[in-house]
Amino acid sequence: MKELTCLIKYSPVSKVRATTVCILWCAVMVALLVAIMPVLHIKYFLFNFALWLIGGLVFVYVPYSVVSAYTEGGLLIVNSDGITFPPGLCGLGNRLSLRWKDLKLVDYNQNNRCLKLQTKSRTTHTISTKKIAQPEAEQLLFAMEVWNPKLIWTQAAADYKDETQNAKLGTDDIFTRSWETELKRRYAVTTFAPHQPGKKLQSGRLNILKQLAFGGFSAIYLAEDENRQRVVVKELVPNAQNGAGQSKAIEMFDREAKLLSRINNPQIARVLDSFVENNRHYLVLEFIDGENLRELVSRKGPLSEELVVFYAKQMLNILEYLHRMEPPVVHRDFTPDNLIVTVSGTLHLVDFGAANAFVSASTGTLVGKQSYMPIEQVRGKAEPRSDLYALGCTLAFLLTGKDPEPLTTVEVTSAKTALKEVIKKLTALEVSDRYASTVDAQLALPAKSSKDF
């Protein structure tokens, strides 16, 4: 489980400049080496080896760092802590972090097209809006509003913010709207006081490190247990809600605890403990270190078909485990936001707040994100093949970088025939037209896949 993060592409150097720096660097180093070699009179093996080692750093590491600054290093990382800037010195420097609590004022220079962020200590940080796509610039401005409500906006900055937000009106920018909705949902004003970092629970056995998300009458924290292992703590404060809502919230919270306690799968976040303290309900969950698939696509762009097939096979294995439980478990929120990928490429499913044990004739509660919900789920009658529909929509998102049109059969025209047909069948509007099970879907997937990314 991971806090909501916005990854904004922001190249500190252009591709031409990065290439030019690499060529000039190599030319200068070669000339210098040729000039000093006759003078050194290298006689000893160790000195010779050291010289070649230094040469490797000079000729390989420095150009690599410059190119990395253009390709992967150029990211503004925006989350509840603040803004982390790309590394300076063409990728050789460290990343600079600006915390929200230190940020005082934001200004905008129309001529240079850059945002100027002034801290309480009067230090100024500049972000060139020429290097940011408009949807991502809008996300950055929206994050500033949500995470630093006391921020002072100059008239020029306020005008730029209004212009950027109004520019997308009438457009079909699904990703930006989805990100805004999630941000508002997870960071809405609470009706209780969330714990601050340093708060101890369970007689000091749990130490709250930071708030990950909160809203209404619940909160999620990153914490450390008595063995200094990181865990995720979900909190429910029933006193903050009225009678009917309070009972329903406790029921869903307890249901998640009981459901997760039955699950034993390495690719599904485990429940480690549950307890009640000071009339607040807590669930301690396994911490999954990685990024969710939405963050991955935001950082890398649409994924290759081979990588999507690699992830699809893992998703189907996870769903097969859930659907084979007795009774079957329907997740009902199988989306890119709830699938975390680790550095090894392994997927993990998190967030079972919407999951329920399937009863064939029952009518459930409407949950899940609209772009990933089939018609029967909207009607409150989710079943195992509802998760297959969500899986198909998730695969489409990975290939295109956009959330699918709600309540439609998804066709990814850019995909090859085999994968395109699998997604089309997974997202069929009629339940009977989809694959009968995860096994059938597995057999239909293309054989070739790759975990290289």
Side-chain angles (χ1 to χ4, degrees), residues 36-108:
I36 66 173
M37 279 293 286
V39 181
L40 292 179
H41 300 295
I42 301 173
K43 297 180 180 179
Y44 302 103
F45 171 78
L46 290 177
F47 187 72
N48 188 29
F49 178 78
L51 188 65
W52 279 109
L53 185 62
I54 295 172
L57 290 174
V58 169
F59 287 103
V60 178
Y61 177 73
V62 173
Y64 172 78
S65 297
V66 174
V67 174
S68 295
Y70 167 73
T71 54
E72 297 179 359
L75 289 174
L76 286 171
I77 303 173
V78 184
N79 56 30
S80 60
D81 292 329
I83 304 174
T84 301
F85 293 83
L89 297 176
C90 293
L92 298 175
N94 295 322
R95 286 184 176 271
L96 172 69
S97 294
L98 176 61
R99 295 180 297 179
W100 294 123
K101 65 179 183 179
D102 296 330
L103 186 58
K104 180 180 179 181
L105 180 142
V106 57
D107 191 15
Y108 183 70

Side-chain angles (χ1 to χ4, degrees), residues 131-330:
K131 298 179 180 179
I132 305 177
Q134 183 170 304
E136 294 184 330
E138 199 281 331
Q139 290 176 27
L140 174 62
L141 295 170
F142 187 80
M144 289 181 183
E145 285 187 284
V146 172
W147 278 316
N148 192 348
K150 295 181 180 180
L151 184 63
I152 300 171
W153 298 76
T154 66
Q155 188 59 51
D159 290 343
Y160 171 69
K161 179 178 64 173
D162 293 339
E163 177 187 343
T164 304
Q165 291 174 342
N166 291 335
K168 72 167 190 169
L169 293 177
T171 63
D172 191 24
D173 190 359
I174 297 176
F175 174 77
T176 299
R177 290 202 306 273
S178 173
W179 191 84
E180 285 182 14
T181 301
E182 183 70 4
L183 190 59
K184 286 178 179 177
R185 180 182 71 82
R186 293 174 65 174
Y187 292 89
V189 176
T190 62
T191 53
F192 69 100
H195 294 311
Q196 297 301 312
K199 172 69 177 179
K200 307 291 185 181
L201 299 173
Q202 282 194 310
S203 301
R205 288 194 295 273
L206 282 178
N207 177 35
I208 300 297
L209 298 178
K210 67 190 299 186
Q211 300 166 345
L212 296 182
F214 49 86
F217 49 95
S218 62
I220 301 177
Y221 307 96
L222 178 64
E224 213 172 48
D225 65 16
E226 55 190 339
N227 298 318
R228 300 188 66 81
Q229 296 294 317
R230 288 192 168 189
V231 294
V232 171
V233 176
K234 298 186 73 171
E235 176 187 46
L236 174 69
V237 186
N239 281 348
Q241 187 70 328
N242 60 35
Q246 175 177 317
S247 299
K248 184 64 176 178
I250 294 175
E251 177 190 340
M252 292 188 68
F253 197 82
D254 291 342
R255 183 174 66 187
E256 181 176 5
K258 292 176 181 177
L259 174 64
L260 285 171
S261 65
R262 295 172 47 212
I263 292 174
N264 183 20
N265 186 291
Q267 288 184 269
I268 300 175
R270 295 178 296 117
V271 61
L272 304 176
D273 193 11
S274 61
F275 61 95
V276 178
E277 188 171 300
N278 295 326
N279 205 32
R280 295 188 178 198
H281 296 243
Y282 294 96
L283 193 62
V284 182
L285 300 170
E286 176 186 13
F287 172 73
I288 307 298
D289 191 8
E291 61 183 342
N292 66 40
L293 291 179
R294 187 175 295 281
E295 292 170 337
L296 177 67
V297 171
S298 174
R299 179 170 62 86
K300 297 177 68 72
L303 307 182
S304 68
E305 291 191 22
E306 291 76 16
L307 184 54
V308 171
V309 171
F310 173 71
Y311 287 147
K313 292 178 179 179
Q314 293 190 61
M315 294 180 206
L316 284 166
N317 287 336
I318 293 171
L319 287 179
E320 181 178 2
Y321 174 86
L322 293 175
H323 294 173
R324 284 182 178 274
M325 293 182 70
E326 189 60 45
V329 171
V330 182

Side-chain angles (χ1 to χ4, degrees), residues 371-421:
S371 292
Y372 298 82
M373 289 191 297
I375 291 176
E376 73 275 6
Q377 186 170 331
V378 174
R379 294 169 179 162
K381 297 183 178 180
E383 60 128 283
R385 282 175 289 183
S386 302
D387 284 341
L388 291 183
Y389 181 93
L391 181 144
C393 293
T394 297
L395 299 183
F397 170 80
L398 297 182
L399 289 168
T400 64
K402 296 180 180 179
D403 290 314
E405 184 83 18
L407 302 178
T408 58
T409 297
V410 181
E411 293 194 53
V412 183
T413 56
S414 60
K416 294 177 182 176
T417 302
L419 186 55
K420 179 168 63 177
E421 289 303 315

